[in-house]
Amino acid sequence: MNEDIFKGKWEQVKGSVQEKWGKLTDDDLDVIKGNSKKLVGKLQEKYGMTKEEAEKEVKKSDL
């Protein structure tokens, strides 16, 4: 999903993001605000993924 679509649908996909990556809090989601790079950073922080792993997870997700 491209960045513009991701940002535009953020409110719709927040629940799916939190369901898929349950360690992300509401505060984390507020910080991310539809920015896929921030989501990648939070996945790295919360799950100990490398940047490449986190990017791959975001790209392959059905969000």
Side-chain angles (χ1 to χ4, degrees):
M1 177 177 304
N2 81 32
E3 187 73 19
D4 291 331
I5 293 171
F6 190 76
K7 285 181 181 179
K9 294 188 174 196
W10 181 243
E11 288 302 316
Q12 296 172 355
V13 300
K14 273 173 53 174
S16 298
V17 168
Q18 199 164 31
E19 187 175 302
K20 183 171 180 75
W21 296 295
K23 292 182 182 180
L24 297 178
T25 66
D26 288 334
D27 289 340
D28 292 330
L29 297 176
D30 289 342
V31 168
I32 294 166
K33 291 183 184 173
N35 184 313
S36 62
K37 290 180 182 176
K38 288 183 181 179
L39 175 56
V40 166
K42 285 294 181 184
L43 292 177
Q44 288 179 267
E45 177 185 327
K46 298 283 184 166
Y47 288 91
M49 296 178 182
T50 66
K51 181 179 180 181
E52 292 78 18
E53 289 171 328
E55 287 173 341
K56 185 185 277 188
E57 283 294 313
V58 170
K59 284 181 185 177
K60 78 174 187 178
S61 67
D62 293 333
L63 303 174

Coordinates of all heavy atoms in Angstrom, one line a residue:
M1 N 0.9 -1.2 0.0 CA 0.0 0.0 0.0 C 0.9 1.2 0.0 O 1.8 1.3 0.8 CB -0.9 -0.1 1.3 CG -1.8 1.1 1.4 SD -2.9 1.0 2.9 CE -3.7 -0.5 2.6
N2 N 0.6 2.2 -0.9 CA 1.5 3.4 -0.9 C 1.2 4.3 0.3 O 0.1 4.2 1.0 CB 1.4 4.1 -2.2 CG 0.2 5.0 -2.4 OD1 -0.3 5.6 -1.5 ND2 -0.2 5.1 -3.6
E3 N 2.1 5.2 0.6 CA 2.0 6.0 1.8 C 0.8 6.9 1.8 O 0.2 7.0 2.9 CB 3.3 6.9 1.8 CG 3.4 7.7 3.1 CD 3.9 6.9 4.3 OE1 4.4 5.8 4.1 OE2 3.6 7.3 5.4
D4 N 0.3 7.5 0.7 CA -0.8 8.3 0.7 C -2.1 7.5 1.1 O -2.9 8.0 1.8 CB -1.0 9.0 -0.6 CG 0.1 10.0 -0.9 OD1 0.6 10.6 0.1 OD2 0.4 10.3 -2.1
I5 N -2.2 6.3 0.5 CA -3.4 5.5 0.8 C -3.4 5.1 2.2 O -4.4 5.1 3.0 CB -3.4 4.3 -0.1 CG1 -3.7 4.7 -1.6 CG2 -4.5 3.3 0.3 CD1 -3.6 3.6 -2.6
F6 N -2.2 4.7 2.7 CA -2.0 4.3 4.1 C -2.4 5.4 5.1 O -3.2 5.1 6.0 CB -0.5 3.9 4.3 CG -0.3 3.2 5.7 CD1 -0.6 1.9 5.8 CD2 0.4 3.9 6.7 CE1 -0.3 1.3 7.0 CE2 0.6 3.3 7.9 CZ 0.3 2.0 8.1
K7 N -2.0 6.6 4.8 CA -2.4 7.8 5.6 C -3.9 8.0 5.6 O -4.5 8.3 6.6 CB -1.7 9.0 5.2 CG -0.2 9.0 5.7 CD 0.5 10.3 5.2 CE 1.9 10.3 5.7 NZ 2.6 11.5 5.3
G8 N -4.4 7.9 4.4 CA -5.9 8.2 4.2 C -6.8 7.2 4.9 O -7.9 7.5 5.3
K9 N -6.3 6.0 5.0 CA -7.1 4.9 5.6 C -6.7 4.6 7.0 O -7.2 3.6 7.6 CB -7.0 3.6 4.7 CG -7.6 3.8 3.4 CD -7.7 2.5 2.7 CE -8.4 2.6 1.4 NZ -8.8 1.4 0.8
W10 N -5.9 5.4 7.6 CA -5.3 5.1 8.9 C -6.4 4.9 10.0 O -6.3 3.9 10.7 CB -4.4 6.3 9.4 CG -3.8 6.0 10.7 CD1 -4.0 6.7 11.9 CD2 -3.0 4.9 11.1 NE1 -3.3 6.1 12.9 CE2 -2.7 5.0 12.5 CE3 -2.5 3.8 10.4 CZ2 -1.9 4.1 13.1 CZ3 -1.6 2.9 11.1 CH2 -1.4 3.0 12.4
E11 N -7.4 5.7 10.0 CA -8.5 5.5 11.0 C -9.2 4.2 10.9 O -9.6 3.5 11.8 CB -9.5 6.6 11.0 CG -9.0 7.9 11.6 CD -8.5 7.9 13.0 OE1 -9.1 7.3 13.9 OE2 -7.4 8.4 13.3
Q12 N -9.3 3.7 9.6 CA -9.9 2.4 9.3 C -9.0 1.3 9.7 O -9.5 0.2 10.1 CB -10.3 2.3 7.9 CG -11.3 3.3 7.4 CD -11.5 3.4 5.9 OE1 -10.8 2.7 5.2 NE2 -12.5 4.1 5.5
V13 N -7.7 1.4 9.5 CA -6.8 0.3 9.7 C -6.2 0.2 11.1 O -5.5 -0.8 11.4 CB -5.7 0.2 8.7 CG1 -6.3 0.1 7.3 CG2 -4.8 1.4 8.8
K14 N -6.4 1.2 11.9 CA -5.8 1.2 13.3 C -6.1 0.0 14.1 O -5.3 -0.6 14.7 CB -6.2 2.5 14.1 CG -5.4 3.7 13.8 CD -5.9 4.9 14.5 CE -6.2 4.9 15.9 NZ -6.6 6.2 16.5
G15 N -7.4 -0.4 14.0 CA -7.8 -1.6 14.7 C -7.1 -2.9 14.2 O -6.7 -3.7 15.0
S16 N -6.9 -3.0 12.9 CA -6.3 -4.1 12.3 C -4.8 -4.1 12.7 O -4.2 -5.2 12.9 CB -6.4 -4.1 10.8 OG -7.7 -4.2 10.4
V17 N -4.2 -2.9 12.7 CA -2.8 -2.8 13.1 C -2.6 -3.3 14.6 O -1.7 -4.1 14.9 CB -2.3 -1.4 13.0 CG1 -0.9 -1.2 13.7 CG2 -2.2 -1.0 11.5
Q18 N -3.5 -2.9 15.5 CA -3.4 -3.3 16.9 C -3.7 -4.7 17.1 O -3.1 -5.4 17.9 CB -4.3 -2.4 17.7 CG -3.9 -2.4 19.2 CD -4.5 -1.3 20.0 OE1 -5.6 -0.9 19.7 NE2 -3.8 -0.9 21.0
E19 N -4.6 -5.3 16.2 CA -4.9 -6.7 16.3 C -3.7 -7.5 15.9 O -3.4 -8.5 16.5 CB -6.1 -7.0 15.4 CG -6.6 -8.4 15.5 CD -7.9 -8.5 14.7 OE1 -8.9 -7.8 14.9 OE2 -7.9 -9.4 13.8
K20 N -3.1 -7.1 14.8 CA -1.9 -7.8 14.2 C -0.7 -7.7 15.1 O 0.0 -8.7 15.3 CB -1.6 -7.4 12.8 CG -0.5 -8.1 12.1 CD -0.4 -7.7 10.7 CE 0.7 -8.4 10.0 NZ 0.4 -9.8 9.7
W21 N -0.5 -6.5 15.6 CA 0.7 -6.2 16.4 C 0.2 -5.7 17.8 O 0.2 -4.5 18.1 CB 1.6 -5.2 15.8 CG 2.2 -5.8 14.5 CD1 3.1 -6.8 14.3 CD2 2.0 -5.3 13.2 NE1 3.4 -7.0 13.0 CE2 2.7 -6.1 12.3 CE3 1.2 -4.2 12.6 CZ2 2.7 -5.9 10.9 CZ3 1.2 -4.0 11.3 CH2 1.9 -4.9 10.4
G22 N -0.2 -6.6 18.6 CA -0.8 -6.3 19.9 C 0.0 -5.5 20.9 O -0.5 -5.0 21.9
K23 N 1.3 -5.5 20.7 CA 2.1 -4.8 21.7 C 2.1 -3.3 21.4 O 2.5 -2.5 22.2 CB 3.6 -5.2 21.5 CG 3.9 -6.6 22.0 CD 5.3 -7.0 21.9 CE 5.6 -8.4 22.4 NZ 7.0 -8.7 22.3
L24 N 1.5 -2.9 20.3 CA 1.3 -1.4 20.0 C 0.2 -0.9 20.8 O -1.0 -1.4 20.7 CB 1.1 -1.2 18.5 CG 2.3 -1.6 17.6 CD1 1.9 -1.4 16.1 CD2 3.5 -0.9 17.9
T25 N 0.4 0.2 21.6 CA -0.6 0.8 22.4 C -1.4 1.9 21.6 O -1.0 2.3 20.5 CB 0.0 1.4 23.6 OG1 0.8 2.5 23.2 CG2 0.9 0.5 24.4
D26 N -2.5 2.4 22.2 CA -3.2 3.5 21.6 C -2.3 4.7 21.4 O -2.3 5.4 20.4 CB -4.4 3.8 22.4 CG -5.5 2.8 22.3 OD1 -5.6 2.1 21.3 OD2 -6.3 2.7 23.3
D27 N -1.4 4.9 22.4 CA -0.5 6.0 22.3 C 0.5 5.8 21.1 O 0.8 6.8 20.4 CB 0.3 6.2 23.6 CG -0.5 6.7 24.8 OD1 -1.6 7.3 24.5 OD2 -0.1 6.5 25.9
D28 N 1.0 4.6 21.0 CA 1.8 4.3 19.8 C 1.1 4.6 18.5 O 1.7 5.2 17.6 CB 2.2 2.8 19.8 CG 3.2 2.4 20.9 OD1 3.9 3.3 21.4 OD2 3.1 1.2 21.3
L29 N -0.1 4.2 18.4 CA -0.9 4.4 17.2 C -1.2 5.9 17.0 O -1.2 6.4 15.8 CB -2.2 3.7 17.3 CG -2.1 2.2 17.4 CD1 -3.5 1.5 17.5 CD2 -1.4 1.6 16.2
D30 N -1.3 6.7 18.1 CA -1.5 8.1 17.9 C -0.2 8.8 17.4 O -0.2 9.7 16.6 CB -1.9 8.8 19.3 CG -3.3 8.4 19.7 OD1 -4.1 8.0 18.8 OD2 -3.6 8.6 20.9
V31 N 1.0 8.2 17.8 CA 2.2 8.8 17.3 C 2.4 8.4 15.8 O 2.9 9.2 15.0 CB 3.4 8.2 18.2 CG1 4.8 8.5 17.5 CG2 3.4 8.8 19.6
I32 N 2.0 7.2 15.5 CA 2.2 6.7 14.1 C 1.4 7.5 13.1 O 1.9 7.9 12.0 CB 1.9 5.2 14.0 CG1 2.9 4.4 14.8 CG2 1.9 4.8 12.5 CD1 2.5 3.0 15.1
K33 N 0.1 7.8 13.4 CA -0.8 8.6 12.6 C -0.7 8.3 11.1 O -0.7 9.2 10.3 CB -0.5 10.1 12.8 CG -0.9 10.6 14.2 CD -0.6 12.1 14.3 CE -0.9 12.5 15.8 NZ -0.5 13.9 16.0
G34 N -0.7 7.1 10.8 CA -0.7 6.7 9.4 C 0.6 6.8 8.6 O 0.7 6.6 7.4
N35 N 1.7 7.0 9.4 CA 3.0 7.1 8.7 C 3.7 5.7 8.8 O 4.0 5.3 9.9 CB 3.9 8.2 9.5 CG 5.2 8.4 8.9 OD1 5.9 7.4 8.5 ND2 5.6 9.6 8.7
S36 N 3.8 5.1 7.6 CA 4.3 3.7 7.6 C 5.8 3.7 8.1 O 6.1 2.6 8.7 CB 4.2 3.1 6.2 OG 5.0 3.9 5.3
K37 N 6.6 4.7 8.0 CA 7.9 4.7 8.5 C 7.9 4.7 10.0 O 8.7 4.0 10.7 CB 8.7 5.9 8.0 CG 9.0 5.8 6.5 CD 9.8 6.9 6.0 CE 10.0 6.7 4.5 NZ 10.6 7.7 3.8
K38 N 7.0 5.4 10.6 CA 6.8 5.4 12.1 C 6.4 4.1 12.6 O 6.8 3.6 13.6 CB 5.9 6.5 12.6 CG 6.5 7.9 12.4 CD 5.6 9.0 13.0 CE 6.1 10.4 12.8 NZ 5.2 11.4 13.3
L39 N 5.5 3.4 11.8 CA 5.0 2.1 12.1 C 6.2 1.1 12.1 O 6.4 0.3 13.0 CB 3.9 1.6 11.2 CG 3.4 0.2 11.3 CD1 2.9 -0.1 12.7 CD2 2.3 -0.1 10.3
V40 N 7.0 1.2 11.1 CA 8.2 0.4 11.0 C 9.1 0.6 12.3 O 9.6 -0.4 12.9 CB 9.0 0.7 9.7 CG1 10.4 0.0 9.8 CG2 8.3 0.1 8.5
G41 N 9.3 1.8 12.6 CA 10.1 2.1 13.8 C 9.5 1.6 15.1 O 10.2 1.0 15.9
K42 N 8.2 1.6 15.2 CA 7.6 1.1 16.4 C 7.7 -0.4 16.5 O 7.8 -1.0 17.5 CB 6.1 1.5 16.5 CG 5.9 3.0 17.0 CD 6.4 3.2 18.4 CE 6.2 4.6 18.8 NZ 6.7 4.8 20.2
L43 N 7.5 -1.1 15.3 CA 7.7 -2.5 15.2 C 9.1 -2.9 15.6 O 9.3 -3.9 16.4 CB 7.4 -3.1 13.8 CG 5.9 -3.0 13.4 CD1 5.7 -3.4 12.0 CD2 5.0 -3.7 14.4
Q44 N 10.1 -2.1 15.2 CA 11.5 -2.4 15.6 C 11.6 -2.3 17.1 O 12.2 -3.2 17.7 CB 12.4 -1.4 14.9 CG 12.6 -1.6 13.4 CD 13.5 -0.6 12.9 OE1 13.1 0.5 12.4 NE2 14.8 -0.8 13.0
E45 N 11.1 -1.2 17.6 CA 11.2 -1.0 19.1 C 10.5 -2.0 19.9 O 11.0 -2.6 20.9 CB 10.6 0.4 19.4 CG 10.5 0.8 20.8 CD 9.8 2.2 21.0 OE1 9.9 3.0 20.1 OE2 9.2 2.3 22.0
K46 N 9.2 -2.3 19.6 CA 8.4 -3.2 20.4 C 8.7 -4.7 20.2 O 8.5 -5.5 21.1 CB 6.9 -3.0 20.1 CG 6.4 -1.6 20.4 CD 6.2 -1.4 21.9 CE 5.7 0.0 22.2 NZ 5.2 0.1 23.5
Y47 N 9.1 -5.1 19.0 CA 9.3 -6.5 18.6 C 10.7 -6.9 18.4 O 11.0 -8.1 18.1 CB 8.4 -6.9 17.4 CG 7.0 -6.9 17.8 CD1 6.2 -5.8 17.6 CD2 6.4 -8.1 18.2 CE1 4.8 -5.8 17.9 CE2 5.0 -8.1 18.5 CZ 4.2 -7.0 18.4 OH 2.9 -7.0 18.7
G48 N 11.7 -5.9 18.4 CA 13.1 -6.2 18.2 C 13.4 -6.7 16.8 O 14.4 -7.4 16.6
M49 N 12.6 -6.2 15.8 CA 12.8 -6.6 14.4 C 13.9 -5.6 13.9 O 14.1 -4.5 14.4 CB 11.5 -6.3 13.6 CG 10.4 -7.2 13.9 SD 9.0 -6.7 12.9 CE 7.7 -7.8 13.5
T50 N 14.6 -6.1 12.8 CA 15.4 -5.2 12.1 C 14.5 -4.3 11.2 O 13.4 -4.6 11.0 CB 16.4 -6.0 11.1 OG1 15.6 -6.7 10.1 CG2 17.2 -7.0 11.9
K51 N 15.1 -3.3 10.7 CA 14.4 -2.4 9.8 C 13.8 -3.1 8.6 O 12.7 -2.9 8.3 CB 15.3 -1.2 9.4 CG 14.6 -0.2 8.5 CD 15.5 0.9 8.1 CE 14.7 1.9 7.3 NZ 15.6 3.0 6.8
E52 N 14.6 -4.0 8.1 CA 14.2 -4.7 6.9 C 13.1 -5.7 7.2 O 12.1 -5.8 6.4 CB 15.4 -5.5 6.3 CG 16.5 -4.6 5.7 CD 17.4 -4.0 6.7 OE1 17.5 -4.4 7.9 OE2 18.1 -3.0 6.4
E53 N 13.1 -6.4 8.4 CA 12.1 -7.3 8.8 C 10.8 -6.5 9.0 O 9.7 -6.9 8.5 CB 12.4 -8.0 10.1 CG 13.5 -9.0 10.0 CD 14.0 -9.5 11.3 OE1 13.9 -8.8 12.3 OE2 14.4 -10.7 11.4
A54 N 10.9 -5.4 9.7 CA 9.7 -4.6 9.9 C 9.0 -4.0 8.6 O 7.8 -4.0 8.5 CB 10.0 -3.4 10.9
E55 N 9.9 -3.6 7.7 CA 9.4 -3.1 6.4 C 8.7 -4.2 5.7 O 7.6 -4.0 5.1 CB 10.5 -2.5 5.6 CG 11.0 -1.2 6.1 CD 12.3 -0.6 5.4 OE1 13.0 -1.5 4.7 OE2 12.5 0.6 5.5
K56 N 9.3 -5.4 5.7 CA 8.7 -6.5 5.0 C 7.3 -6.8 5.6 O 6.3 -7.1 4.9 CB 9.6 -7.7 5.1 CG 9.1 -8.9 4.3 CD 10.0 -10.1 4.5 CE 11.2 -10.1 3.6 NZ 11.9 -11.3 3.6
E57 N 7.2 -6.8 7.0 CA 6.0 -7.1 7.7 C 4.9 -6.1 7.3 O 3.7 -6.5 7.0 CB 6.2 -7.1 9.2 CG 6.8 -8.3 9.7 CD 6.0 -9.6 9.6 OE1 4.8 -9.5 9.9 OE2 6.5 -10.6 9.1
V58 N 5.2 -4.8 7.2 CA 4.3 -3.8 6.9 C 3.8 -4.0 5.4 O 2.6 -3.9 5.1 CB 4.8 -2.4 7.1 CG1 4.0 -1.3 6.5 CG2 5.1 -2.1 8.6
K59 N 4.7 -4.2 4.5 CA 4.4 -4.4 3.1 C 3.5 -5.6 2.9 O 2.6 -5.6 2.0 CB 5.7 -4.5 2.3 CG 6.3 -3.1 2.1 CD 7.6 -3.3 1.2 CE 8.3 -1.9 1.1 NZ 9.5 -2.0 0.3
K60 N 3.8 -6.7 3.6 CA 3.0 -7.9 3.3 C 1.7 -7.9 4.1 O 0.8 -8.8 3.8 CB 3.8 -9.1 3.6 CG 4.0 -9.5 5.1 CD 4.7 -10.8 5.2 CE 4.7 -11.3 6.7 NZ 5.3 -12.5 6.9
S61 N 1.5 -7.0 5.0 CA 0.2 -7.0 5.8 C -1.0 -6.7 4.9 O -0.8 -6.0 3.9 CB 0.3 -6.0 6.9 OG 0.4 -4.7 6.5
D62 N -2.1 -7.1 5.2 CA -3.3 -6.9 4.5 C -4.0 -5.6 4.9 O -5.3 -5.6 5.1 CB -4.3 -8.1 4.6 CG -3.7 -9.3 3.9 OD1 -2.9 -9.2 3.0 OD2 -4.1 -10.4 4.3
L63 N -3.3 -4.6 5.2 CA -3.9 -3.3 5.7 C -4.4 -2.5 4.6 O -4.0 -2.4 3.6 CB -2.9 -2.6 6.6 CG -2.3 -3.4 7.7 CD1 -1.2 -2.6 8.4 CD2 -3.4 -3.7 8.7

